[in-house]
Amino acid sequence: MSRNRFTMPAALSAAALALLTLSACGGSDGASDPEPGAAAGGAAKPATGAVIKIADSPVGKILVDESGRTLYGFTKDKPGSSRCDSDCIAVWPALTSAKDVTAGTGVQPDLLTEAKLGEGAEQAVYGDWPLYYYVGDATAGDVNGQGLDGEWFVVAADGKLVKKAV
């Protein structure tokens, strides 16, 4: 019986960690279910089209999804093309959408495109930067991924990476 007391909390901790990771992976469609599931390859996949908008942050005005989740660019990406492998996507889920991603208030629609991933998925791209979430951002407005490894930065309304420290 004592064996079960130790394995059950570990199992619950693992389940809680998995749920936390999934809840930190993506935006919402603004409906009652704010946390989408993960799509193939770990990409965040809202049930409807995502909306990208501008929000204030500690480093200035930046791109966020419709629920206020911060979006990042990866300096190793090539213009419009992701270089984030499966290990990377586990921590930096790509912003993908079942429908077209649209430009909200303050976003330049001509900078918003999509790039093909594998298996028919498309990742939102703004300017030259494929867009990602960071699993370490637990709530809207978090910018915990800013500057990580000198490779991950929030994206400004003009499509450039913001390299200011938080």
Side-chain angles (χ1 to χ4, degrees):
M1 183 118 179
S2 65
R3 182 175 176 186
N4 288 338
R5 282 188 297 197
F6 293 109
T7 58
M8 183 58 77
L12 290 175
S13 295
L17 179 60
L19 287 174
L20 177 61
T21 299
L22 284 175
S23 69
C25 288
S28 76
D29 62 4
S32 62
D33 181 14
E35 304 300 335
K45 190 137 184 130
T48 60
V51 177
I52 296 176
K53 59 185 185 175
I54 301 298
D56 289 321
S57 80
V59 296
K61 294 191 179 294
I62 62 169
L63 296 183
V64 298
D65 71 4
E66 66 277 1
S67 64
R69 298 287 314 280
T70 301
L71 296 167
Y72 296 88
F74 181 38
T75 60
K76 289 187 176 182
D77 283 346
K78 299 294 182 196
S81 176
S82 175
R83 297 186 55 121
C84 190
D85 63 19
S86 60
D87 289 337
C88 171
I89 285 291
V91 179
W92 298 92
L95 170 60
T96 64
S97 181
K99 297 184 180 180
D100 287 341
V101 177
T102 57
T105 305
V107 173
Q108 299 176 42
D110 57 320
L111 293 180
L112 185 59
T113 60
E114 293 177 335
K116 300 253 186 248
L117 294 175
E119 304 172 19
E122 292 185 349
Q123 181 175 8
V125 175
Y126 194 75
D128 288 338
W129 304 106
L131 300 175
Y132 304 88
Y133 295 100
Y134 175 54
V135 298
D137 287 346
T139 62
D142 284 353
V143 289
N144 297 321
Q146 176 65 359
L148 279 183
D149 299 327
E151 298 173 338
W152 294 94
F153 298 95
V154 295
V155 182
D158 63 2
K160 295 180 181 170
L161 298 182
V162 177
K163 295 190 176 179
K164 295 178 188 174
V166 180

